[in-house]
mmCIF file of all heavy atoms in Angstrom:
data_model
loop_
_atom_site.group_PDB
_atom_site.id
_atom_site.type_symbol
_atom_site.label_atom_id
_atom_site.label_comp_id
_atom_site.label_asym_id
_atom_site.label_seq_id
_atom_site.Cartn_x
_atom_site.Cartn_y
_atom_site.Cartn_z
ATOM 1 N N VAL A 1 101.756 112.660 93.817
ATOM 2 C CA VAL A 1 101.006 111.442 93.690
ATOM 3 C C VAL A 1 101.152 110.752 92.441
ATOM 4 O O VAL A 1 101.407 109.571 92.391
ATOM 5 C CB VAL A 1 99.552 111.690 94.065
ATOM 6 C CG1 VAL A 1 98.638 110.427 93.774
ATOM 7 C CG2 VAL A 1 99.332 112.242 95.324
ATOM 8 N N ALA A 2 101.072 111.511 91.379
ATOM 9 C CA ALA A 2 101.135 110.945 89.960
ATOM 10 C C ALA A 2 101.613 111.990 89.058
ATOM 11 O O ALA A 2 101.483 113.220 89.288
ATOM 12 C CB ALA A 2 99.726 110.539 89.616
ATOM 13 N N GLN A 3 102.051 111.513 87.952
ATOM 14 C CA GLN A 3 102.602 112.436 86.897
ATOM 15 C C GLN A 3 102.290 111.903 85.494
ATOM 16 O O GLN A 3 102.461 110.693 85.323
ATOM 17 C CB GLN A 3 104.190 112.567 87.120
ATOM 18 C CG GLN A 3 104.944 113.364 86.170
ATOM 19 C CD GLN A 3 106.449 113.317 86.539
ATOM 20 O OE1 GLN A 3 107.069 112.332 86.168
ATOM 21 N NE2 GLN A 3 106.881 114.378 87.151
ATOM 22 N N ILE A 4 102.013 112.724 84.577
ATOM 23 C CA ILE A 4 102.028 112.386 83.167
ATOM 24 C C ILE A 4 102.876 113.208 82.415
ATOM 25 O O ILE A 4 102.639 114.490 82.446
ATOM 26 C CB ILE A 4 100.588 112.228 82.675
ATOM 27 C CG1 ILE A 4 100.618 111.738 81.252
ATOM 28 C CG2 ILE A 4 99.776 113.426 82.849
ATOM 29 C CD1 ILE A 4 99.176 111.272 80.731
ATOM 30 N N THR A 5 103.794 112.642 81.735
ATOM 31 C CA THR A 5 104.761 113.541 81.022
ATOM 32 C C THR A 5 104.231 113.847 79.618
ATOM 33 O O THR A 5 103.332 113.334 79.027
ATOM 34 C CB THR A 5 106.117 112.757 80.870
ATOM 35 O OG1 THR A 5 105.982 111.761 79.942
ATOM 36 C CG2 THR A 5 106.614 112.162 82.195
ATOM 37 N N SER A 6 105.111 114.690 78.966
ATOM 38 C CA SER A 6 104.736 115.207 77.609
ATOM 39 C C SER A 6 104.728 113.963 76.674
ATOM 40 O O SER A 6 103.928 113.979 75.697
ATOM 41 C CB SER A 6 105.687 116.241 77.138
ATOM 42 O OG SER A 6 107.008 115.742 77.205
ATOM 43 N N GLY A 7 105.462 113.046 76.948
ATOM 44 C CA GLY A 7 105.628 111.842 76.146
ATOM 45 C C GLY A 7 104.584 110.826 76.486
ATOM 46 O O GLY A 7 104.471 109.690 75.810
ATOM 47 N N GLY A 8 103.852 111.106 77.454
ATOM 48 C CA GLY A 8 102.691 110.146 77.849
ATOM 49 C C GLY A 8 103.089 109.151 78.891
ATOM 50 O O GLY A 8 102.202 108.386 79.310
ATOM 51 N N THR A 9 104.329 109.181 79.487
ATOM 52 C CA THR A 9 104.745 108.247 80.442
ATOM 53 C C THR A 9 104.145 108.760 81.834
ATOM 54 O O THR A 9 104.073 109.912 82.072
ATOM 55 C CB THR A 9 106.132 108.358 80.668
ATOM 56 O OG1 THR A 9 106.876 107.979 79.426
ATOM 57 C CG2 THR A 9 106.727 107.402 81.822
ATOM 58 N N THR A 10 103.596 107.752 82.615
ATOM 59 C CA THR A 10 103.025 107.991 83.789
ATOM 60 C C THR A 10 103.771 107.476 84.931
ATOM 61 O O THR A 10 104.511 106.368 84.848
ATOM 62 C CB THR A 10 101.452 107.349 84.017
ATOM 63 O OG1 THR A 10 101.616 106.029 83.582
ATOM 64 C CG2 THR A 10 100.542 108.142 82.885
ATOM 65 N N ASN A 11 103.910 108.108 86.006
ATOM 66 C CA ASN A 11 104.577 107.771 87.261
ATOM 67 C C ASN A 11 103.750 107.884 88.438
ATOM 68 O O ASN A 11 102.933 108.840 88.478
ATOM 69 C CB ASN A 11 105.978 108.507 87.335
ATOM 70 C CG ASN A 11 106.864 108.404 86.210
ATOM 71 O OD1 ASN A 11 107.428 107.336 85.874
ATOM 72 N ND2 ASN A 11 107.066 109.502 85.507
ATOM 73 N N TYR A 12 103.921 107.088 89.388
ATOM 74 C CA TYR A 12 103.169 107.088 90.623
ATOM 75 C C TYR A 12 103.866 106.953 91.938
ATOM 76 O O TYR A 12 104.849 106.073 91.838
ATOM 77 C CB TYR A 12 102.067 105.949 90.534
ATOM 78 C CG TYR A 12 101.175 106.069 89.266
ATOM 79 C CD1 TYR A 12 101.532 105.343 88.124
ATOM 80 C CD2 TYR A 12 100.058 106.851 89.161
ATOM 81 C CE1 TYR A 12 100.743 105.434 86.910
ATOM 82 C CE2 TYR A 12 99.317 106.993 88.011
ATOM 83 C CZ TYR A 12 99.661 106.226 86.974
ATOM 84 O OH TYR A 12 98.901 106.346 85.688
ATOM 85 N N VAL A 13 103.536 107.399 92.841
ATOM 86 C CA VAL A 13 104.017 107.140 94.303
ATOM 87 C C VAL A 13 103.589 105.784 94.687
ATOM 88 O O VAL A 13 102.533 105.231 94.140
ATOM 89 C CB VAL A 13 103.618 108.192 95.287
ATOM 90 C CG1 VAL A 13 102.126 108.147 95.613
ATOM 91 C CG2 VAL A 13 104.426 108.077 96.654
ATOM 92 N N ASP A 14 104.424 104.986 95.291
ATOM 93 C CA ASP A 14 104.210 103.669 95.579
ATOM 94 C C ASP A 14 102.868 103.328 96.311
ATOM 95 O O ASP A 14 102.116 102.361 95.987
ATOM 96 C CB ASP A 14 105.200 103.002 96.584
ATOM 97 C CG ASP A 14 106.556 102.848 95.895
ATOM 98 O OD1 ASP A 14 106.616 102.870 94.570
ATOM 99 O OD2 ASP A 14 107.576 102.584 96.498
ATOM 100 N N SER A 15 102.363 104.343 97.060
ATOM 101 C CA SER A 15 101.122 104.109 97.815
ATOM 102 C C SER A 15 99.857 104.143 96.978
ATOM 103 O O SER A 15 98.789 103.611 97.388
ATOM 104 C CB SER A 15 101.024 105.124 98.913
ATOM 105 O OG SER A 15 100.965 106.309 98.276
ATOM 106 N N VAL A 16 100.055 104.567 95.723
ATOM 107 C CA VAL A 16 98.734 104.600 94.766
ATOM 108 C C VAL A 16 98.959 103.715 93.651
ATOM 109 O O VAL A 16 98.102 103.567 92.796
ATOM 110 C CB VAL A 16 98.373 106.047 94.406
ATOM 111 C CG1 VAL A 16 98.233 106.914 95.603
ATOM 112 C CG2 VAL A 16 99.414 106.601 93.349
ATOM 113 N N LYS A 17 100.194 103.060 93.413
ATOM 114 C CA LYS A 17 100.331 102.291 92.223
ATOM 115 C C LYS A 17 99.321 101.080 92.161
ATOM 116 O O LYS A 17 98.954 100.372 93.135
ATOM 117 C CB LYS A 17 101.767 101.677 92.353
ATOM 118 C CG LYS A 17 102.869 102.627 91.937
ATOM 119 C CD LYS A 17 104.301 101.914 91.947
ATOM 120 C CE LYS A 17 105.364 103.008 91.553
ATOM 121 N NZ LYS A 17 106.708 102.388 91.640
ATOM 122 N N GLY A 18 98.743 100.932 91.025
ATOM 123 C CA GLY A 18 97.755 99.806 90.862
ATOM 124 C C GLY A 18 96.407 100.261 91.227
ATOM 125 O O GLY A 18 95.446 99.716 90.936
ATOM 126 N N ARG A 19 96.220 101.570 91.846
ATOM 127 C CA ARG A 19 94.980 102.083 92.183
ATOM 128 C C ARG A 19 94.585 103.260 91.312
ATOM 129 O O ARG A 19 93.450 103.553 91.053
ATOM 130 C CB ARG A 19 94.839 102.352 93.716
ATOM 131 C CG ARG A 19 95.118 101.000 94.447
ATOM 132 C CD ARG A 19 94.746 101.328 96.031
ATOM 133 N NE ARG A 19 95.659 102.463 96.493
ATOM 134 C CZ ARG A 19 95.195 103.538 97.048
ATOM 135 N NH1 ARG A 19 93.933 103.778 97.161
ATOM 136 N NH2 ARG A 19 96.011 104.403 97.596
ATOM 137 N N PHE A 20 95.594 104.193 91.151
ATOM 138 C CA PHE A 20 95.396 105.470 90.427
ATOM 139 C C PHE A 20 95.858 105.352 89.022
ATOM 140 O O PHE A 20 96.955 104.722 88.790
ATOM 141 C CB PHE A 20 96.054 106.530 91.161
ATOM 142 C CG PHE A 20 95.480 106.916 92.545
ATOM 143 C CD1 PHE A 20 94.564 106.104 93.175
ATOM 144 C CD2 PHE A 20 95.821 108.093 93.082
ATOM 145 C CE1 PHE A 20 93.991 106.490 94.374
ATOM 146 C CE2 PHE A 20 95.338 108.467 94.360
ATOM 147 C CZ PHE A 20 94.487 107.578 94.969
ATOM 148 N N THR A 21 95.265 106.135 88.110
ATOM 149 C CA THR A 21 95.707 106.043 86.846
ATOM 150 C C THR A 21 95.604 107.604 86.224
ATOM 151 O O THR A 21 94.511 108.139 86.326
ATOM 152 C CB THR A 21 94.856 105.196 85.812
ATOM 153 O OG1 THR A 21 94.995 103.842 86.232
ATOM 154 C CG2 THR A 21 95.440 105.172 84.343
ATOM 155 N N ALA A 22 96.689 108.160 85.760
ATOM 156 C CA ALA A 22 96.788 109.470 85.177
ATOM 157 C C ALA A 22 96.577 109.255 83.693
ATOM 158 O O ALA A 22 97.140 108.337 83.115
ATOM 159 C CB ALA A 22 97.913 110.204 85.428
ATOM 160 N N SER A 23 95.704 110.213 83.135
ATOM 161 C CA SER A 23 95.511 110.178 81.570
ATOM 162 C C SER A 23 95.304 111.529 81.186
ATOM 163 O O SER A 23 95.184 112.511 81.996
ATOM 164 C CB SER A 23 94.415 109.185 81.221
ATOM 165 O OG SER A 23 93.144 109.761 81.825
ATOM 166 N N ARG A 24 95.215 111.827 79.832
ATOM 167 C CA ARG A 24 94.966 113.104 79.313
ATOM 168 C C ARG A 24 94.004 112.980 78.056
ATOM 169 O O ARG A 24 94.077 112.005 77.343
ATOM 170 C CB ARG A 24 96.181 113.836 79.073
ATOM 171 C CG ARG A 24 97.049 113.314 78.013
ATOM 172 C CD ARG A 24 98.410 114.035 77.911
ATOM 173 N NE ARG A 24 99.166 113.604 76.773
ATOM 174 C CZ ARG A 24 100.439 113.542 76.754
ATOM 175 N NH1 ARG A 24 101.175 114.106 77.780
ATOM 176 N NH2 ARG A 24 101.138 113.083 75.679
ATOM 177 N N ASP A 25 93.471 114.157 77.923
ATOM 178 C CA ASP A 25 92.659 114.288 76.612
ATOM 179 C C ASP A 25 93.144 115.453 75.997
ATOM 180 O O ASP A 25 92.929 116.628 76.338
ATOM 181 C CB ASP A 25 91.173 114.438 77.083
ATOM 182 C CG ASP A 25 90.209 114.629 75.782
ATOM 183 O OD1 ASP A 25 90.768 115.018 74.694
ATOM 184 O OD2 ASP A 25 89.042 114.511 76.056
ATOM 185 N N ASN A 26 93.959 115.290 74.965
ATOM 186 C CA ASN A 26 94.623 116.340 74.270
ATOM 187 C C ASN A 26 93.634 117.290 73.703
ATOM 188 O O ASN A 26 93.982 118.571 73.562
ATOM 189 C CB ASN A 26 95.602 115.858 73.215
ATOM 190 C CG ASN A 26 96.771 115.025 73.771
ATOM 191 O OD1 ASN A 26 97.159 115.308 74.971
ATOM 192 N ND2 ASN A 26 97.274 114.081 72.962
ATOM 193 N N ALA A 27 92.573 116.809 73.057
ATOM 194 C CA ALA A 27 91.531 117.622 72.365
ATOM 195 C C ALA A 27 90.866 118.636 73.340
ATOM 196 O O ALA A 27 90.645 119.819 73.008
ATOM 197 C CB ALA A 27 90.538 116.839 71.722
ATOM 198 N N ASN A 28 90.719 118.244 74.599
ATOM 199 C CA ASN A 28 90.103 119.054 75.491
ATOM 200 C C ASN A 28 91.153 119.706 76.509
ATOM 201 O O ASN A 28 90.587 120.391 77.588
ATOM 202 C CB ASN A 28 88.953 118.281 76.365
ATOM 203 C CG ASN A 28 87.737 117.955 75.481
ATOM 204 O OD1 ASN A 28 87.173 118.832 74.944
ATOM 205 N ND2 ASN A 28 87.385 116.643 75.528
ATOM 206 N N ASN A 29 92.388 119.481 76.256
ATOM 207 C CA ASN A 29 93.320 120.093 77.075
ATOM 208 C C ASN A 29 93.258 119.608 78.546
ATOM 209 O O ASN A 29 93.247 120.611 79.425
ATOM 210 C CB ASN A 29 93.632 121.452 76.847
ATOM 211 C CG ASN A 29 95.008 122.011 77.024
ATOM 212 O OD1 ASN A 29 95.991 121.249 76.779
ATOM 213 N ND2 ASN A 29 95.147 123.250 77.432
ATOM 214 N N THR A 30 92.949 118.519 78.858
ATOM 215 C CA THR A 30 92.435 118.173 80.262
ATOM 216 C C THR A 30 93.262 116.825 80.579
ATOM 217 O O THR A 30 93.365 115.984 79.798
ATOM 218 C CB THR A 30 90.955 117.835 80.328
ATOM 219 O OG1 THR A 30 90.398 119.081 79.991
ATOM 220 C CG2 THR A 30 90.504 117.418 81.639
ATOM 221 N N VAL A 31 93.698 116.862 81.889
ATOM 222 C CA VAL A 31 94.348 115.683 82.556
ATOM 223 C C VAL A 31 93.448 115.096 83.523
ATOM 224 O O VAL A 31 92.676 115.938 84.233
ATOM 225 C CB VAL A 31 95.595 116.151 83.215
ATOM 226 C CG1 VAL A 31 96.225 114.986 83.915
ATOM 227 C CG2 VAL A 31 96.612 116.606 82.026
ATOM 228 N N TYR A 32 93.421 113.801 83.653
ATOM 229 C CA TYR A 32 92.553 113.166 84.615
ATOM 230 C C TYR A 32 93.375 112.269 85.545
ATOM 231 O O TYR A 32 94.437 111.859 85.325
ATOM 232 C CB TYR A 32 91.586 112.173 83.903
ATOM 233 C CG TYR A 32 90.687 113.019 82.913
ATOM 234 C CD1 TYR A 32 91.046 112.879 81.489
ATOM 235 C CD2 TYR A 32 89.535 113.593 83.207
ATOM 236 C CE1 TYR A 32 90.264 113.520 80.583
ATOM 237 C CE2 TYR A 32 88.721 114.244 82.346
ATOM 238 C CZ TYR A 32 89.222 114.137 80.959
ATOM 239 O OH TYR A 32 88.358 114.829 80.054
ATOM 240 N N LEU A 33 92.745 112.130 86.733
ATOM 241 C CA LEU A 33 93.261 111.031 87.736
ATOM 242 C C LEU A 33 92.170 110.183 88.064
ATOM 243 O O LEU A 33 91.329 110.533 88.872
ATOM 244 C CB LEU A 33 93.982 111.839 88.900
ATOM 245 C CG LEU A 33 94.603 111.012 89.881
ATOM 246 C CD1 LEU A 33 95.814 110.286 89.234
ATOM 247 C CD2 LEU A 33 95.083 111.713 91.097
ATOM 248 N N GLN A 34 92.209 109.019 87.643
ATOM 249 C CA GLN A 34 91.216 108.054 87.989
ATOM 250 C C GLN A 34 91.722 107.368 89.267
ATOM 251 O O GLN A 34 92.841 106.737 89.294
ATOM 252 C CB GLN A 34 91.111 106.974 86.834
ATOM 253 C CG GLN A 34 90.115 105.883 87.162
ATOM 254 C CD GLN A 34 88.664 106.299 87.352
ATOM 255 O OE1 GLN A 34 88.194 107.043 86.567
ATOM 256 N NE2 GLN A 34 87.974 105.768 88.383
ATOM 257 N N MET A 35 90.881 107.300 90.357
ATOM 258 C CA MET A 35 91.354 106.831 91.608
ATOM 259 C C MET A 35 90.300 105.632 91.961
ATOM 260 O O MET A 35 89.122 105.877 92.126
ATOM 261 C CB MET A 35 91.210 107.876 92.680
ATOM 262 C CG MET A 35 92.106 109.087 92.229
ATOM 263 S SD MET A 35 92.286 110.294 93.634
ATOM 264 C CE MET A 35 90.495 110.819 93.790
ATOM 265 N N ASN A 36 90.863 104.513 92.040
ATOM 266 C CA ASN A 36 90.046 103.287 92.362
ATOM 267 C C ASN A 36 90.430 102.735 93.710
ATOM 268 O O ASN A 36 91.570 103.074 94.193
ATOM 269 C CB ASN A 36 90.138 102.330 91.376
ATOM 270 C CG ASN A 36 89.649 102.771 90.013
ATOM 271 O OD1 ASN A 36 88.797 103.511 89.942
ATOM 272 N ND2 ASN A 36 90.250 102.190 88.961
ATOM 273 N N SER A 37 89.738 101.896 94.351
ATOM 274 C CA SER A 37 89.956 101.280 95.571
ATOM 275 C C SER A 37 90.427 102.297 96.620
ATOM 276 O O SER A 37 91.575 102.102 97.331
ATOM 277 C CB SER A 37 91.063 100.168 95.323
ATOM 278 O OG SER A 37 90.656 99.254 94.438
ATOM 279 N N LEU A 38 89.714 103.294 96.749
ATOM 280 C CA LEU A 38 90.148 104.371 97.718
ATOM 281 C C LEU A 38 90.133 103.986 99.101
ATOM 282 O O LEU A 38 89.383 103.150 99.527
ATOM 283 C CB LEU A 38 89.245 105.653 97.394
ATOM 284 C CG LEU A 38 89.529 106.499 96.142
ATOM 285 C CD1 LEU A 38 88.434 107.311 95.836
ATOM 286 C CD2 LEU A 38 90.792 107.287 96.294
ATOM 287 N N LYS A 39 91.088 104.540 99.851
ATOM 288 C CA LYS A 39 91.316 104.322 101.214
ATOM 289 C C LYS A 39 91.192 105.506 101.960
ATOM 290 O O LYS A 39 91.332 106.641 101.538
ATOM 291 C CB LYS A 39 92.688 103.708 101.486
ATOM 292 C CG LYS A 39 92.978 102.484 100.646
ATOM 293 C CD LYS A 39 94.491 102.095 100.793
ATOM 294 C CE LYS A 39 94.934 100.900 99.880
ATOM 295 N NZ LYS A 39 96.227 100.434 100.038
ATOM 296 N N PRO A 40 90.855 105.475 103.247
ATOM 297 C CA PRO A 40 90.776 106.686 104.090
ATOM 298 C C PRO A 40 92.086 107.495 104.118
ATOM 299 O O PRO A 40 92.010 108.763 104.178
ATOM 300 C CB PRO A 40 90.469 106.074 105.514
ATOM 301 C CG PRO A 40 89.845 104.714 105.313
ATOM 302 C CD PRO A 40 90.438 104.270 104.039
ATOM 303 N N GLU A 41 93.278 106.827 103.857
ATOM 304 C CA GLU A 41 94.437 107.606 103.846
ATOM 305 C C GLU A 41 94.687 108.418 102.579
ATOM 306 O O GLU A 41 95.569 109.079 102.418
ATOM 307 C CB GLU A 41 95.675 106.704 104.015
ATOM 308 C CG GLU A 41 95.716 105.510 103.322
ATOM 309 C CD GLU A 41 95.170 104.218 103.894
ATOM 310 O OE1 GLU A 41 94.063 104.341 104.630
ATOM 311 O OE2 GLU A 41 95.696 103.138 103.835
ATOM 312 N N ASP A 42 93.754 108.198 101.613
ATOM 313 C CA ASP A 42 93.790 108.972 100.423
ATOM 314 C C ASP A 42 93.074 110.298 100.697
ATOM 315 O O ASP A 42 93.000 111.232 99.671
ATOM 316 C CB ASP A 42 93.122 108.197 99.269
ATOM 317 C CG ASP A 42 93.819 107.034 98.819
ATOM 318 O OD1 ASP A 42 95.122 107.072 98.880
ATOM 319 O OD2 ASP A 42 93.180 105.880 98.578
ATOM 320 N N THR A 43 92.343 110.464 101.841
ATOM 321 C CA THR A 43 91.804 111.749 102.063
ATOM 322 C C THR A 43 92.745 112.887 101.978
ATOM 323 O O THR A 43 93.758 112.932 102.670
ATOM 324 C CB THR A 43 91.133 111.693 103.404
ATOM 325 O OG1 THR A 43 90.074 110.770 103.354
ATOM 326 C CG2 THR A 43 90.421 113.053 103.803
ATOM 327 N N ALA A 44 92.483 113.970 101.158
ATOM 328 C CA ALA A 44 93.330 115.104 100.968
ATOM 329 C C ALA A 44 92.754 116.015 100.081
ATOM 330 O O ALA A 44 91.822 115.695 99.389
ATOM 331 C CB ALA A 44 94.697 114.580 100.514
#
């Protein structure tokens, strides 16, 4: 669905582009996936 590289580049499958955003918090060693405008087909 989404990817965040070591360089900070993000990539998304077409079906979620513009709706999902991957990010990370280096201090907390955590990666996030913000999902907006969710659709029933996002159920998984």
Side-chain angles (χ1 to χ4, degrees):
V1 174
Q3 175 183 79
I4 182 163
T5 71
S6 56
T9 300
T10 53
N11 299 293
Y12 305 95
V13 68
D14 285 347
S15 60
V16 308
K17 282 182 181 176
R19 301 189 297 122
F20 288 14
T21 303
S23 62
R24 68 185 179 209
D25 180 343
N26 294 333
N28 289 310
N29 209 32
T30 299
V31 171
Y32 301 99
L33 186 64
Q34 177 67 43
M35 306 187 297
N36 299 327
S37 302
L38 283 162
K39 305 175 181 180
E41 50 264 42
D42 295 318
T43 295

